Amino acid sequence: MVNKNVTRNGSNSTLRLNENVKLNNSVNTIKLDDAPLNRFHIKIAGLTFGAHFTDGYILGIIGFALTLMTPQMGLSPFWVGLIGSSALIGLFLGSLILGWISDYIGRQKIFVFSFTIITIASVLQFFADTPTELVLCRILIGIGLGGDYSVGHTMLAEFSPRKHRGVLLGSFSVIWTFGYVAANLIGIFAINTSPDAWKWMLASSAIPAVIILILRIGTPESPRWLISKGRIDEAREIVKKHVGPNIVLDDESPVQTNGSFKTLFSKSMRKRTAFNCIFFVCLVIPYFAIYTFLPNILEAIGMNEGYGTDFLLNGLLIVGAVLGIFFTVKYSRRGFLISSFIVLIVTLGLLSLLPSSATVLMIISFAVFTLIMSAVSNLVGVFPAESFPTEIRSSGVGLATSMSRLGSAIGTFLLPLGIAGIGIQYTMLCLTAVLVIGAIVSIAWAPETKSLTLSEASNNGRKN
């Protein structure tokens, strides 16, 4: 209301004008979490998706390369497992270390540096003549991919509007699957070309890597990270330039305390940290263990009927990844995760117990397992990025990713040894037990982050 002490002359008019200006500004101002999707959001998403395509390609091609290099190099099951898991070992290190570093020096620097490592190490694979050299190259690739997982998820989450955040973060799984399937198709057609085709298979990952590296040069820093460091003016300029002149950040006050890695294990965060690490680990152990050695698994359970089953399962991976986006948008994050774990337990349990003569039931079980595993994998890009506050977001995402890759590396390393030692049936039952653990932890601790702003999602339920 206009103050009664203000006269009814020009002062009254000026006050009303000022009030109207403030009203118009408040109407036109939009928070970053509610900003409309624009070309910049799509660009950041595309650059991050490209990384996941490369990741899927790198982890998918190694199974076919191993088929050729095993007799050529005389590899033992130990070396087969170590080469197959070496990129995952690197992912563990890169996610943990580079994610932590990015919370201190910024997201953008790691966003570019990670793909510099990937590009160089991908090329070096072509010149690897011993198992040791190849392991070292793939560990370097994994370090780059691990850093990118931590920073890519974080960058996109910190720019994305909440209405589209689930779709954008969940789409990582779709693009990863396309990369994995592309690797399978190339592997299928290249495997019979020459004994040294494995060198070209592995080095070909440098093609998408160098394209992404070039396109990432010049990307802006995350405004939320800048705010957390007190660099408010820089953050506002980035938002104004790339998102819109009327877009403001939800919170333009720097944090009172600097986030540190140990904050992840504080009383208010440790349950959230444990959930993200454990559910992630329990999903990716069976995923990577089974699909890294898919041809061997299909042969061991009597489903190696030419390439028909392989093509079917790769198609289901793509369909499942697309369905996962729909489920992420349509249903609650928590409900989608828990129900998926239950279906995976049932189907993998059936695969473990069914006799090899029950071909139709085994194909159906494997098909459903593949479909749901691919769909729920969308959530590994969503939950960690939404669960941690800005000052420790990359560290949190990095820790969850690193733990998942450590688990995957162990599972991938042990799978060929398990099949050789205790047989395929008991090996699959062990993987089923891993899924049971994931289901229990999700029922107990999974938060609901759907439809919340990024600040609300990262704080919701932290003290519970």
Side-chain angles (χ1 to χ4, degrees), residues 72-73 124-134 198-199:
Q72 189 179 104
M73 292 186 173
L124 289 176
Q125 289 180 109
F126 184 85
F127 302 99
D129 294 320
T130 67
T132 302
E133 291 173 352
L134 188 57
W198 64 269
K199 288 179 174 285

Side-chain angles (χ1 to χ4, degrees), residues 8 10 14 39 79 135 138 199 205 222 252 256 301 311 335 340-341 375 399 406 415 435:
R8 297 182 180 180
T14 302
R39 291 176 62 184
W79 278 108
V135 166
R138 292 189 66 79
K199 288 179 174 285
S205 61
S222 164
E252 297 197 4
Q256 297 302 311
I301 63 178
F311 275 121
S340 295
F341 265 121
L399 177 64
L406 177 62
L415 185 76
L435 292 170

Side-chain angles (χ1 to χ4, degrees), residues 430-446:
C430 290
L431 294 176
T432 305
V434 171
L435 292 170
V436 171
I437 295 171
I440 294 171
V441 169
S442 298
I443 291 169
W445 292 339

Side-chain angles (χ1 to χ4, degrees), residues 234-411:
E234 292 178 62
R236 288 173 178 166
E237 284 302 312
I238 288 174
V239 170
K240 181 179 178 180
K241 178 179 178 181
H242 295 284
V243 186
N246 61 331
I247 307 299
V248 297
L249 284 149
D250 301 329
D251 183 1
E252 297 197 4
S253 300
V255 294
Q256 297 302 311
T257 57
N258 289 323
S260 63
F261 195 80
K262 65 181 181 181
T263 306
L264 294 170
F265 306 97
S266 63
K267 185 176 181 180
S268 63
M269 288 300 304
R270 60 193 178 199
K271 189 180 293 184
R272 184 68 64 95
T273 300
F275 159 71
N276 279 282
C277 290
I278 296 172
F279 105 85
F280 205 160
V281 167
C282 292
L283 277 180
V284 299
I285 283 180
Y287 195 129
F288 282 115
I290 289 173
Y291 291 104
T292 296
F293 299 105
L294 184 60
N296 308 73
I297 294 288
L298 294 176
E299 182 179 358
I301 63 178
M303 292 174 62
N304 56 329
E305 302 294 332
Y307 291 123
T309 305
D310 200 6
F311 275 121
L312 172 64
L313 294 176
N314 279 298
L316 288 171
L317 282 172
I318 294 175
V319 173
V322 174
L323 278 177
I325 296 177
F326 172 77
F327 293 152
T328 301
V329 174
K330 183 71 174 177
Y331 304 110
S332 75
R333 312 266 205 264
R334 175 182 164 84
F336 177 26
L337 180 64
I338 293 171
S339 59
S340 295
F341 265 121
I342 293 171
V343 174
L344 292 173
I345 290 166
V346 172
T347 52
L348 191 57
L350 286 173
L351 282 170
S352 306
L353 300 174
L354 285 171
S356 58
S357 58
T359 306
V360 175
L361 284 176
M362 292 186 76
I363 291 176
I364 293 172
S365 296
F366 212 152
V368 174
F369 176 85
T370 300
L371 194 73
I372 299 303
M373 176 61 82
S374 183
V376 74
S377 293
N378 288 34
L379 292 180
V380 304
V382 178
F383 265 123
E386 292 183 334
S387 293
F388 301 100
T390 299
E391 61 270 23
I392 55 169
R393 184 166 289 119
S394 279
S395 295
V397 173
L399 177 64
T401 304
S402 67
M403 291 297 102
S404 75
R405 271 32 186 186
L406 177 62
S408 300
I410 293 171

Side-chain angles (χ1 to χ4, degrees), residues 119-185:
T119 302
I120 294 171
S122 291
V123 173
L124 289 176
Q125 289 180 109
F126 184 85
F127 302 99
D129 294 320
T130 67
T132 302
E133 291 173 352
L134 188 57
V135 166
L136 292 174
C137 287
R138 292 189 66 79
I139 287 175
L140 279 176
I141 290 173
I143 289 172
L145 289 172
D148 197 79
Y149 262 80
S150 303
V151 176
H153 288 212
T154 300
M155 284 273 283
L156 190 54
E158 291 179 349
F159 274 112
S160 297
R162 59 176 159 178
K163 181 179 179 181
H164 305 285
R165 193 172 63 234
V167 172
L168 293 176
L169 291 173
S171 296
F172 287 145
S173 178
V174 179
I175 307 303
W176 189 97
T177 304
F178 274 107
Y180 178 85
V181 172
N184 274 254
L185 295 176

